Amino acid sequence: MKMMLQLLCLLVGVGKVGLNTARAQQVTVASDGSAQFRTIQAALNSLPAEATKPRTVSIKNGTYREKISIDGKSKIILKGQSEKGVILTLALAREAWRCDPAANNDDWGVATMNLRNAPDITLENLTVVNSYGFEAADNATIACPTEPGGTKTISKTSHQMALRTFPGTVRLVARHCTFRALGGDTVSPWDTENGQYYFKDCTMEGGVDFYCPRGWAYAENCRFECHSTSAAIWHDGSGNKDAKTVLKNCTFVGDDGFKLGRFHREAQFYLLNCRFPKNMADSDIYYAESGPGARLWGRRVYYANCHRTGGDYAWHRDNLATAAGAPKASAITAEWTFGGRWNPLTGKVKEVLTDVVQDSIAEKMLVYQRAVGGWPKAVNDEKVNYDHKLSAAQRAATLADKQRKDATIDNKATTREIEYLAQAFQRTSNPAYRQAAENGVRYLLKMQYRNGGFPQYYPDSSNYRHQITYNDDAMVRALHLLREVAQQHGAYASLDFGLVAPAKAAVALGIGCILRTQYRQKGILTAWCAQHDEKTLLPAKARAFELASLSGMETVGILRFLMEVEQPSADIQQAINAAVAWLEKVKISGYDVRDVPDTKYPRGFDRVMLPEAGATIWARFYDLDTNQPIYVGRDGEKHAKLADIEVERRTGYAYLGTWPAKLLAKEYPAWQKRVSAPAPK
């Protein structure tokens, strides 16, 4: 019979894939083992990635203690026997997950239910719970390798996600579902550019911002229960001026004094026929001052026929006429919310074509970005130059090289691309640039060692590329960019908000690594080497002419980064003061370095060290034990004078310079004045 069915399918052109898809239209799960599958995840794993029609996972009443993940699969219906009878539960604080090395400091896997690149998912008759806050007796301190101190204290009301969706999960439907947590971000559907989410007859419970969609969201006949005085609902509509969150015929309850909502970046709220309790705070939906940058599109919070038990507050009086287009309340439907692109009641999907603005340099950066997320500095020994025209053949060959393991942070590679693409997104609103910049940031997070250091290359670990690399400010530039992301400065405010917390943690780890790698010479703190061993943290050798030594150049970049810390700890202050004292100690007074024309040399000049009254210079490398300047050529041998090494090296590498001069004369005194000033009230 089985062979006959396969033959029939082949005859009508279904084939093996079609046969598997047809069989997968419905599977059943029962926690007591009475169905095809005992766990929901096992049932999901049995489904092929794609299908022409929705597949249904039918779930019988029971408690399912498991983490659910749908990644790269579409058109799936998770249908429970009853909303109260089917319980999916997990106890996991977001901070605890980020401390797990398996998480790679990322949100994927942080929730009870996790969806990524999974369009057209429907949830029906389910209760999804993140029980961490309900079960935790009190705050807990756990081991956390990603924290500088190695531990982290987690509050029982910290972020706890029941539902977390990632980019690519569009047209999500939830009907007759309950989402519960005690902490913040209970329901987190996050795709700023393309997210489309529909909730009907659902209950949502949690702490601050516990309903926090990004993009377009519509909730009807839903109940919201708030356990925070900061805010119940939240929205991020920064990806598109039209993005909005609509709440229609919804009711709110919560702890005494809870506030209705807030937003940290561009947002648009519509509340229609909503009911508020007597104990809600007299506070309108507000902009959180910790949000990034100035707002572009103004305040957009609209109400129609919303009332409060015990009397209405003035701020939620009808103002729908002030919204763009002055829509009537009756016209605000789910289809209207999604701009006609999707009608969740009929399932109709309409692709809306928009003109995409392109930036020629950004387009070339997209071509050169490697699959791992970073960029190369050179290809086949030719530096990547985005000013050069890229032929069709070069473009095709470069795209075919996506898997090459040559991504690096050396010579400004990767950091320059992230910076440019973030700015290009601000100028053009082209989502491809934002996505590429975000993937670049994720590359930086991925390449960082658990001790906080950054290798020069990742994933290539050959030769000296695996060492912690301060050389040419590689690690410092990566940390500086991550700090901009963490603080949401400038163009980085437009990037995925989910990158803020891991970027902040990465910067803290990086500072910890910097403090631990500062070299102690006979017990006294001095400076840093251009490279450090990623395991022992001791100074390390790179190329033949780059011996383990103290650096008069790289130390300056590290100091500038540390001096930018707004509230430096005692350890940071000690590190800065010690390194500055070392720079003062090893300066070479009364000398300058010059390029002297001389036609007998290949480059037409020689580089020499000459006496000069009042001049001060520093060596690039100093002996670890004696603090004496060392000059090393390709023979790998130490020399006491610049003239002792071959002309190719002394004219082709910076062995002497004035790198610390400005820092010592202006920046360090200004920093001293700042840190000694009383803290502002």
Side-chain angles (χ1 to χ4, degrees):
M1 184 67 182
K2 178 179 177 182
M3 292 181 63
M4 186 174 294
L5 178 59
Q6 290 177 335
L7 179 60
L8 285 171
C9 290
L10 288 170
L11 288 173
V12 297
V14 175
K16 188 174 181 180
V17 173
L19 177 65
N20 289 339
T21 303
R23 288 178 175 174
Q25 292 306 299
Q26 180 162 334
V27 294
T28 306
V29 183
S31 59
D32 61 5
S34 61
Q36 294 166 276
F37 298 95
R38 187 182 290 271
T39 68
I40 299 168
Q41 190 62 54
L44 290 168
N45 293 345
S46 73
L47 302 178
E50 298 179 0
T52 56
K53 295 182 179 180
R55 291 76 59 78
T56 299
V57 178
S58 181
I59 310 170
K60 293 188 176 181
N61 286 342
T63 298
Y64 299 83
R65 303 185 185 279
E66 55 178 309
K67 181 186 293 188
I68 306 301
S69 299
I70 303 178
D71 190 8
K73 294 187 177 184
S74 62
K75 294 183 174 64
I76 296 175
I77 300 171
L78 290 177
K79 187 171 185 178
Q81 186 176 351
S82 67
E83 182 177 352
K84 292 184 178 180
V86 176
I87 301 173
L88 287 62
T89 183
L90 179 77
L92 181 62
R94 185 187 194 189
E95 289 86 348
W97 174 246
R98 287 185 172 276
C99 287
D100 188 335
N104 199 27
N105 209 20
D106 186 66
D107 263 6
W108 176 245
V110 75
T112 306
M113 180 173 289
N114 307 270
L115 309 177
R116 182 168 65 184
N117 295 319
D120 300 305
I121 302 297
T122 298
L123 312 175
E124 292 185 9
N125 302 332
L126 305 171
T127 292
V128 185
V129 181
N130 189 326
S131 61
Y132 180 85
F134 299 118
E135 297 176 4
D138 206 343
N139 296 349
T141 300
I142 65 170
C144 188
T146 58
E147 287 291 305
T151 62
K152 189 173 185 65
T153 299
I154 301 174
S155 165
K156 65 182 296 180
T157 57
S158 66
H159 293 92
Q160 300 153 36
M161 299 175 175
L163 173 67
R164 170 74 158 95
T165 78
F166 295 74
T169 300
V170 296
R171 298 183 298 275
L172 172 69
V173 172
R175 298 189 185 95
H176 298 287
C177 291
T178 295
F179 303 94
R180 297 188 65 219
L182 186 63
D185 294 11
T186 305
V187 178
S188 299
W190 288 357
D191 184 340
T192 313
E193 274 79 33
N194 302 301
Q196 300 167 58
Y197 315 108
Y198 175 81
F199 296 88
K200 179 76 180 294
D201 300 314
C202 292
T203 296
M204 306 181 208
E205 177 184 0
V208 60
D209 306 337
F210 68 89
Y211 176 61
C212 51
R214 299 176 187 266
W216 290 260
Y218 181 90
E220 185 173 0
N221 298 341
C222 291
R223 181 178 183 272
F224 298 88
E225 183 173 349
C226 183
H227 299 300
S228 168
T229 56
S230 295
I233 61 176
W234 183 93
H235 180 239
D236 175 6
S238 60
N240 190 301
K241 191 175 181 179
D242 180 63
K244 58 181 71 73
T245 181
V246 174
L247 295 92
K248 190 172 185 179
N249 302 329
C250 294
T251 60
F252 290 81
V253 297
D255 299 347
D256 289 346
F258 79 91
K259 295 184 180 69
L260 177 58
R262 65 178 183 173
F263 54 104
H264 286 79
R265 49 180 67 203
E266 298 297 334
Q268 188 172 194
F269 295 82
Y270 289 83
L271 285 87
L272 316 172
N273 307 326
C274 291
R275 296 297 177 262
F276 306 134
K278 184 176 182 180
N279 68 337
M280 187 176 73
D282 185 1
S283 176
D284 197 357
I285 293 174
Y286 63 97
Y287 174 70
E289 292 304 322
S290 57
R295 285 171 285 162
L296 301 174
W297 304 322
R299 176 179 171 80
R300 299 178 297 165
V301 180
Y302 309 110
Y303 300 94
N305 193 34
C306 293
H307 298 288
R308 167 183 170 267
T309 302
D312 293 345
Y313 291 133
W315 49 263
H316 63 76
R317 61 177 174 268
D318 293 2
N319 67 339
L320 199 55
T322 66
K328 299 292 184 182
S330 58
I332 298 180
T333 62
E335 187 175 17
W336 176 89
T337 300
F338 302 121
R341 293 176 296 163
W342 175 46
N343 186 339
L345 302 182
T346 64
K348 181 181 178 182
V349 177
K350 178 183 177 182
E351 292 296 332
V352 180
L353 299 178
T354 59
D355 293 330
V356 178
V357 179
Q358 292 187 337
D359 177 297
S360 61
I361 291 178
E363 288 296 312
K364 282 179 272 192
M365 288 180 173
L366 298 185
V367 173
Y368 276 98
Q369 188 173 26
R370 299 313 194 199
V372 73
W375 281 264
K377 68 175 182 177
V379 179
N380 299 327
D381 295 327
E382 184 177 343
K383 288 184 179 179
V384 175
N385 188 336
Y386 296 112
D387 292 328
H388 289 175
K389 185 178 180 179
L390 198 61
S391 69
Q394 289 173 319
R395 185 179 188 277
T398 306
L399 287 171
D401 251 358
K402 280 284 185 186
Q403 300 299 328
R404 183 181 283 199
K405 298 179 180 180
D406 57 354
T408 179
I409 56 173
D410 191 30
N411 290 6
K412 299 183 179 180
T414 297
T415 51
R416 67 168 173 172
E417 284 87 356
I418 295 171
E419 180 180 11
Y420 188 93
L421 287 163
Q423 294 171 352
F425 172 74
Q426 272 200 329
R427 294 191 303 270
T428 66
S429 297
N430 189 326
Y433 302 157
R434 172 176 171 167
Q435 183 178 5
E438 291 171 346
N439 287 339
V441 173
R442 293 186 181 100
Y443 168 77
L444 295 180
L445 296 171
K446 190 185 302 181
M447 78 183 305
Q448 187 180 31
Y449 291 127
R450 292 182 187 176
N451 60 22
F454 283 78
Q456 188 184 51
Y457 281 72
Y458 178 83
D460 183 2
S461 61
S462 61
N463 299 320
Y464 53 84
R465 293 178 171 184
H466 55 87
Q467 294 170 353
I468 293 172
T469 304
Y470 296 126
N471 189 39
D472 292 330
D473 293 333
M475 174 168 159
V476 167
R477 277 196 303 271
L479 286 174
H480 185 271
L481 188 146
L482 289 171
R483 182 157 60 191
E484 295 288 288
V485 173
Q487 296 175 351
Q488 299 179 279
H489 281 170
Y492 300 111
S494 300
L495 301 188
D496 181 1
F497 186 74
L499 294 170
V500 170
K504 183 178 179 181
V507 172
L509 274 177
I511 291 174
C513 179
I514 288 172
L515 297 180
R516 291 192 298 276
T517 50
Q518 189 173 16
Y519 187 69
R520 284 188 179 272
Q521 192 181 80
K522 299 177 183 178
I524 298 174
L525 282 175
T526 58
W528 290 268
C529 181
Q531 295 85 211
H532 287 255
D533 185 277
E534 72 274 18
K535 296 178 181 177
T536 67
L537 304 186
L538 293 174
K541 174 183 176 294
R543 289 175 288 188
F545 51 90
E546 294 170 332
L547 301 183
S549 56
L550 295 173
S551 173
M553 176 182 168
E554 278 73 21
T555 291
V556 174
I558 295 170
L559 282 173
R560 286 194 170 117
F561 175 76
L562 291 179
M563 288 194 297
E564 291 172 354
V565 176
E566 292 185 8
Q567 295 180 331
S569 65
D571 287 342
I572 292 175
Q573 294 184 49
Q574 180 187 34
I576 293 171
N577 291 327
V580 166
W582 180 83
L583 287 171
E584 291 282 8
K585 181 178 179 179
V586 301
K587 65 185 178 183
I588 305 170
S589 300
Y591 284 89
D592 195 7
V593 60
R594 296 180 190 172
D595 290 342
V596 179
D598 195 326
T599 57
K600 72 174 179 283
Y601 292 116
R603 298 191 179 190
F605 68 91
D606 193 11
R607 185 167 292 161
V608 296
M609 183 174 170
L610 297 171
E612 168 115 9
T616 302
I617 56 176
W618 283 262
R620 179 77 174 266
F621 304 125
Y622 290 87
D623 187 90
L624 291 170
D625 298 319
T626 67
N627 286 331
Q628 292 300 308
I630 59 173
Y631 307 94
V632 186
R634 294 194 182 276
D635 61 1
E637 297 295 327
K638 295 181 184 179
H639 298 277
K641 297 178 182 179
L642 179 63
D644 292 341
I645 63 174
E646 66 270 27
V647 67
E648 181 271 331
R649 278 296 78 197
R650 68 175 182 261
T651 59
Y653 195 78
Y655 288 92
L656 292 162
T658 58
W659 310 289
K662 183 181 177 181
L663 182 139
L664 297 178
K666 296 181 178 180
E667 298 168 16
Y668 177 64
W671 174 81
Q672 284 183 306
K673 184 177 180 180
R674 178 175 72 83
V675 297
S676 63
K681 294 183 180 179

